[in-house]
């Protein structure tokens, strides 16, 4: 049986300090470096992106002089926590001749006593299930057990005032009988087809509703993300989305914080992320799986010159995305190359 995380017997998701994980040699992992960006690659990346923007001139990208390439490899830490939470709500449906699974058949189980099929890890989903032994039957609240209710257009008679003659039976400018209503001043209601009432859409005419408790199960990913300090001027939000080179990956039902990483801020981020997720989820959800990764994200600041004026653009990620805050040949305002 799954334990209810809201009771006093909570699961401890953070490992004891003495069990913290540390690879035998971080140095062996860090020996791998992302290839440096060359001047030719920097120009090619700019030309590729400029060609896709109608408001940027291609000539400047080909003629600007690249003065300096400043490169930095950032470390990005991510923690994903896949958790399951459960709530209940009342639901209803039209009652036919089916049997009623009510309290007479047994005690209603707790939310965490029901077994449900868990989706693939880290794939968010929501599913609803009828709780056993929670059903009861009542008259429909919408039609008060009649199965039908008065039409909202004609309010019962089955006819409405003719829209052509406004109920006058004759045309205003022509002293003859209205052809739309044949001089009656009223016409058949199109909403109820002249019956004056409508089948109740809540109970589908069954007059009664089956009420039951419904279990709502939500599987959700919580994300903690941290990027090491950037010494260049590239916008930080681009670096969180940039494609990186995988350096370290750890996945388990509960991962241990990283220690002794050459960049202390990464170790601290790992400890903080695991603690935050444990504190936020332990009281209201069940943690099923955790995954933490460290990626190397290359960043290059390209300092260039065009017609005597200095320009800077950035190449980031292993797929060499480009960010240009200012460009020499711009034909419209307010856009940057991303």
């Amino acid at each position: 049986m799954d334990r209810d995380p809201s009771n006093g017997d909570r699961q401890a998701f953070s490992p004891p300090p003495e069990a913290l994980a540390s690879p035998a040699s971080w140095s062996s992992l860090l020996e791998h470096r992302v290839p440096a960006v060359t001047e030719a690659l920097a120009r090619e990346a700019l030309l590729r992106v400029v060609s896709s923007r109608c408001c940027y001139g291609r000539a400047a990208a080909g003629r600007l002089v690249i003065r300096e390439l400043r490169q930095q490899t950032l470390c990005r830490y991510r923690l994903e926590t896949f958790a399951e939470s459960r709530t209940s709500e009342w639901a209803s449906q039209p009652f036919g001749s089916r049997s009623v699974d009510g309290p007479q058949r047994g005690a209603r189980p707790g939310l965490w006593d029901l077994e449900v099929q868990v989706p693939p890890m880290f794939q968010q989903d929501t599913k609803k299930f009828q709780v056993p032994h929670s059903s009861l039957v009542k008259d429909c609240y919408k039609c008060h057990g009649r199965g039908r209710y008065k039409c909202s257009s004609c309010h019962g008679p089955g006819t409405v005032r003719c829209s052509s003659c406004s109920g006058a039976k004759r045309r205003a400018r022509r002293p003859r009988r209205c052809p739309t209503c044949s001089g009656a001043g009223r016409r058949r209601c199109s909403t109820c087809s002249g019956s004056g009432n409508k089948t109740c859409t809540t109970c589908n005419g069954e007059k009664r509703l089956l009420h039951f408790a419904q279990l709502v199960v939500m599987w959700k990913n919580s994300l903690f993300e941290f990027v090491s300090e950037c010494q260049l001027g590239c916008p930080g939000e681009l670096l969180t989305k940039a494609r990186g080179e995988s350096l370290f990956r750890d996945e388990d039902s509960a991962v241990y914080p990283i220690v002794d990483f050459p960049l202390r801020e990464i170790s601290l981020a790992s400890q903080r992320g695991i603690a935050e997720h444990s504190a936020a989820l332990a009281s209201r959800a069940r943690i099923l799986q955790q995954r933490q990764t460290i990626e190397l994200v290359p960043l290059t600041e390209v300092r260039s010159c065009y017609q005597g004026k200095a320009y800077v653009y950035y190449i980031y990620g292993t797929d060499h995305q480009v960010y240009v805050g200012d460009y020499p040949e711009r034909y419209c305002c307010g856009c940057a190359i991303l």
Side-chain angles (χ1 to χ4, degrees):
M1 292 292 182
D2 297 334
R3 295 180 179 177
D4 185 345
S6 63
N7 63 25
D9 188 13
R10 296 179 182 174
Q11 295 171 279
F13 298 110
S14 296
E18 61 270 18
L20 300 182
S22 175
S25 175
W26 282 115
S27 58
S28 62
L29 292 174
L30 288 173
E31 286 177 0
H32 176 74
R33 287 290 185 269
V34 178
V37 172
T38 63
E39 181 177 328
L41 195 153
R43 190 181 303 278
E44 178 186 343
L46 180 61
L47 283 168
R48 182 185 70 248
V49 180
V50 166
S51 297
S52 65
R53 300 294 190 272
C54 61
C55 54
Y56 285 80
R58 181 180 174 86
R63 296 172 185 171
L64 60 79
V65 178
I66 296 178
R67 296 286 183 85
E68 182 183 4
L69 298 174
R70 299 182 61 190
Q71 307 195 33
Q72 181 185 2
T73 300
L74 304 170
C75 283
R76 181 175 59 205
Y77 172 82
R78 279 183 177 146
L79 171 68
E80 294 175 89
T81 299
F82 186 60
E84 174 186 315
S85 62
R86 299 187 178 191
T87 57
S88 65
E89 61 185 19
W90 281 101
S92 62
Q93 62 187 34
F95 176 68
S97 58
R98 64 175 66 87
S99 61
V100 179
D101 182 14
Q104 71 277 5
R105 293 195 175 183
R108 172 179 164 179
L111 295 183
W112 293 91
D113 293 332
L114 297 172
E115 293 186 5
V116 298
Q117 182 68 40
V118 179
M121 292 298 168
F122 305 105
Q123 292 188 17
Q124 299 191 148
D125 198 3
T126 299
K127 289 185 179 180
K128 298 182 179 182
F129 306 90
Q130 184 173 334
V131 177
H133 315 321
S134 66
S135 301
L136 62 137
V137 179
K138 290 185 177 181
D139 285 345
C140 175
Y141 60 86
K142 184 67 178 293
C143 64
H144 304 290
R146 292 190 292 268
R148 305 179 72 83
Y149 54 84
K150 284 185 179 181
C151 173
S152 59
S153 296
C154 68
H155 304 289
T159 60
V160 294
R161 187 172 61 177
C162 177
S163 58
S164 296
C165 64
S166 300
K169 302 181 182 181
R170 295 179 179 274
R171 298 279 191 174
R173 296 182 179 179
R174 294 181 181 180
R176 63 183 180 88
R177 188 171 59 178
C178 175
T180 303
C181 63
S182 300
R186 301 183 69 83
R187 59 178 179 81
R188 187 173 66 171
C189 176
S190 59
T191 302
C192 63
S193 300
S195 65
N197 53 59
K198 294 279 289 181
T199 300
C200 178
T201 56
T202 302
C203 67
N204 288 341
E206 297 288 347
K207 302 181 180 181
R208 293 187 294 174
L209 293 175
L210 177 70
H211 298 265
F212 54 90
Q214 187 167 247
L215 171 66
V216 182
V217 186
M218 292 176 288
W219 293 277
K220 184 179 179 180
N221 272 330
S222 296
L223 176 65
F224 176 89
E225 200 166 45
F226 175 81
V227 180
S228 61
E229 184 180 0
C230 179
Q231 299 172 356
L232 305 177
C234 185
E237 62 270 17
L238 299 179
L239 303 176
T240 60
K241 302 175 183 178
R243 186 174 298 179
E245 183 90 13
S246 179
L247 177 68
F248 173 75
R249 178 189 174 99
D250 178 28
E251 182 177 328
D252 209 333
S253 56
V255 298
Y256 297 154
I258 295 170
V259 296
D260 297 333
F261 193 77
L263 290 178
R264 187 169 181 268
E265 54 185 332
I266 295 296
S267 296
L268 294 176
S270 174
Q271 296 173 30
R272 185 169 68 253
I274 292 174
E276 287 182 5
H277 280 192
S278 179
L281 298 172
S283 62
R284 58 182 176 86
R286 182 169 64 111
I287 294 180
L288 303 178
Q289 195 82 349
Q290 289 186 307
R291 177 168 63 197
Q292 60 180 346
T293 60
I294 299 176
E295 294 174 288
L296 300 178
V297 180
L299 174 63
T300 301
E301 182 181 82
V302 184
R303 298 192 173 190
S304 61
C305 180
Y306 182 75
Q307 294 183 350
K309 185 177 178 181
Y311 293 93
V312 176
Y313 66 95
Y314 297 90
I315 300 174
Y316 61 95
T318 55
D319 55 347
H320 303 136
Q321 295 296 307
V322 176
Y323 172 79
V324 180
D326 189 17
Y327 187 72
E329 293 183 354
R330 180 182 296 180
Y331 305 125
C332 64
C333 301
C335 58
I337 300 179
L338 298 177

